[in-house]
Amino acid sequence: QLQASGGGLVQAGGSLSVSCAASGRTFSSYHMGWFRQALGKEREFVAAISGSGGSTLYAESVKGRFTISRDNAKNTVWLQMNSMKPEDTALYYCAAGKFWTRWSSEYDYWGQGTLVTVSS
């Protein structure tokens, strides 16, 4: 089970961090991803981190602004978002999967989503 939290309202140019807490004892065996879905748009990949935390992957639209990290001892993954833009406004979902991929269909477990709103 994945529980995302930390969403909220932030001004353009500001920062926000969202987190995802996982239950279970096999957290480190899963790659973790963050996806987002804006109103009226399809869900899109944001970032992924490998089970060990040694590899990361980012969408071009967030590269250099967002940072994904994890702490396997705490069963938690974070997405630090800096220099935020109004187009970052979306529901942000965390996901866990066994494959190293940016494709949402390859992830097995999903959190409920946390709303991030960036005002201009």
Side-chain angles (χ1 to χ4, degrees):
Q1 186 176 0
L2 301 176
Q3 182 73 36
S5 61
L9 176 65
V10 62
Q11 288 189 332
S15 299
L16 191 68
S17 180
V18 291
S19 63
C20 176
S23 59
R25 300 180 180 180
T26 60
F27 180 69
S28 62
S29 68
Y30 286 89
H31 305 311
M32 298 296 297
W34 282 99
F35 293 79
R36 67 186 182 186
Q37 188 167 16
L39 190 63
K41 295 188 177 181
E42 293 188 354
R43 189 173 299 185
E44 64 174 359
F45 170 78
V46 176
I49 188 166
S50 61
S52 67
S55 298
T56 56
L57 191 62
Y58 294 95
E60 285 299 320
S61 59
V62 306
K63 195 174 292 185
R65 300 189 298 121
F66 290 11
T67 302
I68 188 171
S69 61
R70 69 188 294 163
D71 185 336
N72 287 339
K74 297 181 178 179
N75 279 17
T76 302
V77 59
W78 294 271
L79 183 69
Q80 175 66 42
M81 301 177 284
N82 299 327
S83 303
M84 297 188 74
K85 305 175 181 179
E87 51 263 44
D88 294 322
T89 296
L91 265 172
Y92 281 72
Y93 298 89
C94 58
K98 291 292 189 177
F99 293 100
W100 181 238
T101 178
R102 63 178 67 220
W103 300 110
S104 60
S105 59
E106 299 295 333
Y107 284 81
D108 303 309
Y109 304 99
W110 290 82
Q112 84 288 2
T114 185
L115 181 62
V116 173
T117 304
V118 185
S119 62
S120 57

